[in-house]
Amino acid sequence: MKKIKVAIVGTGFIGPAHLEALRRLPNIEVTGLCEVNIDLAREKAAMLGIPNAYTFDEMLQQKDIDAVHICTPNFLHHSQSKAALLAGKHVICEKPLATKIEEAEELVSLAKEKGLVNAVHFNLRYYPMVRQMKNMRENGELGDVYSIMGSYLQDWLFLQTDYNWRLEPDKSGDSRAIADIGSHLLDLTEYVTGLKITEVMADFSTVHKTRLKPLKAIETYSGKMLQAEDYQEVPINTEDHATVMLRFDNGNKGSVTVSQVNAGRKNRLNIEIAGSKANFEWCSERPNEMWIGKRETANHHLMKDPSLFSSEAAALISFPGGHNEGFPDTSKQMFKEVYAAIKEGKQPEKPTFPTFEDGLRELIICERIIESHRKQAWVKI
């Protein structure tokens, strides 16, 4: 079969994660890599075993490249996705889709006009247990949704010396914790429950009003420490922690807490959904199990096992029960669906994967949350 040829733009933490997932799928070949300059692109291409290094503009001119993965800092997502669509390439973009609502709206419109496959990397939908929760809710096993409690906690910005481009609003946008990890939690909340958030009430806090920015380059999550003279003190204007109350279109309520300064929480998304028949709880640090709460019978503990799952959830499982699957598998399973559409050459009428429209939805929610914090008031979506 003809291989689908792919280019990856950006090689921070997430670019190599996309690469690893793509290499686990048949009939896909990552042939090109782009970085901020050609020298770095060549260095990274050699390191990652990718045959061709390009500048971004050079990559767009390669007629054999079918799809582009945008894995760059947030402020580049709009311009690079737009350029790739105009060049006739299918686009898989990291979240957020853009840093402004009007930019995301332009991308949604352009992708529809071109008929090209478009996806946003909300990969956490692709834990098999998340799909199973969604299917169980659709089958009536949860009942009416009473309330939702969610949290996404990390500690990678716990210290004043922890630093990353996401701390700079000109690169990441006006929100950090909500836009970076809160968007995953909010997307998951609407995806699993089938409800829409209608109003938000938010309160942010910035724990470190200043941070020590390294004068030398260090990689995200590397844990490397520099000497005192290697830092410059800079002001911080985005949130380390956020709490958001939610109202849903069924009239009921929820809340989410997002933090990047919780010691010991490496990457912990937790969601608990209270329904009229049961209570579902799932945690990303224990992704292969789910707690099901009952009032009148014993509680249940469901472990990942394709023989016990719905057919839709079982399709996201590659190994038998008892063989754990985790974060790297979510991208593989998402890209499997995306590239089935790319093989057909067009966006499906009803995509199963998160699209630019989903990216726009999360950007709108995020902007309303920022507005709510600034006004200290409820804001409608």
Side-chain angles (χ1 to χ4, degrees):
M1 292 178 75
K2 182 191 171 202
K3 286 190 177 289
I4 299 170
K5 295 192 175 180
V6 180
I8 292 176
V9 188
T11 57
F13 160 68
I14 203 65
H18 281 236
L19 172 65
E20 190 273 341
L22 289 167
R23 282 178 166 164
R24 296 170 65 193
L25 296 174
N27 303 314
I28 296 171
E29 184 180 358
V30 180
T31 62
L33 180 72
C34 304
E35 254 299 348
V36 66
N37 60 60
I38 192 62
D39 290 336
L40 184 60
R42 286 170 179 154
E43 176 190 335
K44 293 289 188 176
M47 183 187 303
L48 296 169
I50 297 173
N52 301 299
Y54 302 112
T55 65
F56 184 74
D57 289 339
E58 287 173 342
M59 180 275 296
L60 293 179
Q61 296 169 21
Q62 308 305 310
K63 297 191 183 303
D64 63 334
I65 290 177
D66 303 296
V68 176
H69 286 242
I70 307 295
C71 302
T72 49
N74 300 355
F75 75 102
L76 293 170
H77 291 179
H78 166 255
S79 61
Q80 291 180 336
S81 295
K82 179 179 178 179
L85 289 171
L86 290 172
K89 316 290 188 189
H90 306 289
V91 178
I92 299 88
C93 184
E94 264 304 318
K95 51 81 199 161
L97 179 58
T99 58
K100 295 182 176 64
I101 290 174
E102 57 268 25
E103 292 177 345
E105 289 173 337
E106 181 185 18
L107 291 176
V108 168
S109 177
L110 181 60
K112 281 183 180 177
E113 176 190 326
K114 296 292 184 181
L116 293 162
V117 175
N118 57 92
V120 175
H121 193 228
F122 285 121
N123 58 305
L124 302 192
R125 292 186 184 189
Y126 284 82
Y127 281 108
M129 198 64 74
V130 169
R131 186 71 63 89
Q132 178 67 11
M133 289 171 68
K134 175 179 179 288
N135 293 157
M136 289 173 68
R137 188 268 304 165
E138 290 170 338
N139 293 336
E141 295 176 58
L142 178 66
D144 296 330
V145 176
Y146 286 167
S147 66
I148 299 156
M149 293 183 294
S151 64
Y152 202 149
L153 309 177
Q154 298 177 327
D155 73 355
W156 70 285
L157 292 172
F158 179 71
L159 302 173
Q160 190 185 22
T161 49
D162 292 326
Y163 202 85
N164 179 267
W165 60 262
R166 290 176 177 83
L167 291 154
E168 301 172 8
D170 63 329
K171 295 184 178 67
S172 65
D174 293 334
S175 169
R176 177 178 18 107
I178 283 290
D180 184 22
I181 56 177
S183 57
H184 273 300
L185 176 56
L186 294 163
D187 176 73
L188 212 64
T189 297
E190 291 195 332
Y191 176 70
V192 172
T193 65
L195 301 177
K196 291 296 183 185
I197 299 166
T198 58
E199 290 183 84
V200 294
M201 173 66 159
D203 200 19
F204 294 175
S205 61
T206 304
V207 174
H208 297 296
K209 307 297 184 188
T210 64
R211 285 183 180 264
L212 300 180
K213 180 178 180 178
L215 300 174
K216 298 178 180 178
I218 55 173
E219 292 187 4
T220 305
Y221 305 124
S222 67
K224 294 178 182 176
M225 294 296 291
L226 304 177
Q227 302 303 311
E229 63 271 16
D230 296 323
Y231 295 100
Q232 172 190 5
E233 189 170 6
V234 297
I236 299 298
N237 301 309
T238 53
E239 77 280 5
D240 290 314
H241 176 279
T243 300
V244 187
M245 292 190 292
L246 309 169
R247 290 173 177 164
F248 295 94
D249 58 358
N250 73 342
N252 285 328
K253 314 292 173 61
S255 65
V256 295
T257 297
V258 177
S259 175
Q260 295 177 318
V261 290
N262 274 49
R265 296 302 191 190
K266 303 305 176 185
N267 192 56
R268 184 184 186 274
L269 185 155
N270 196 86
I271 186 167
E272 183 162 340
I273 309 167
S276 60
K277 293 183 180 178
N279 193 99
F280 293 170
E281 184 193 22
W282 178 79
C283 176
S284 67
E285 290 188 346
R286 300 189 308 276
N288 294 285
E289 57 189 82
M290 169 187 168
W291 184 82
I292 304 171
K294 294 287 186 176
R295 168 64 188 266
E296 297 170 335
T297 60
N299 297 330
H300 303 298
H301 202 200
L302 177 63
M303 302 296 290
K304 187 214 75 175
D305 186 333
S307 68
L308 301 176
F309 275 28
S310 67
S311 58
E312 187 181 343
L316 303 183
I317 300 175
S318 296
F319 300 98
H323 297 75
N324 286 335
E325 293 171 80
F327 179 81
D329 301 282
T330 61
S331 295
K332 181 190 82 169
Q333 298 295 349
M334 176 178 162
F335 297 160
K336 185 169 70 176
E337 292 184 1
V338 172
Y339 277 86
I342 289 175
K343 183 182 174 184
E344 298 299 318
K346 63 180 181 180
Q347 188 83 340
E349 283 188 22
K350 294 183 178 179
T352 55
F353 51 85
T355 67
F356 281 10
E357 289 188 352
D358 295 297
L360 171 60
R361 170 72 181 168
E362 289 313 311
L363 197 61
I364 290 170
I365 294 173
C366 181
E367 287 295 313
R368 300 297 180 262
I369 288 173
I370 295 169
E371 181 185 348
S372 171
H373 165 67
R374 288 175 177 163
K375 291 179 175 179
Q376 290 290 285
W378 283 97
V379 171
K380 292 184 184 295
I381 301 296

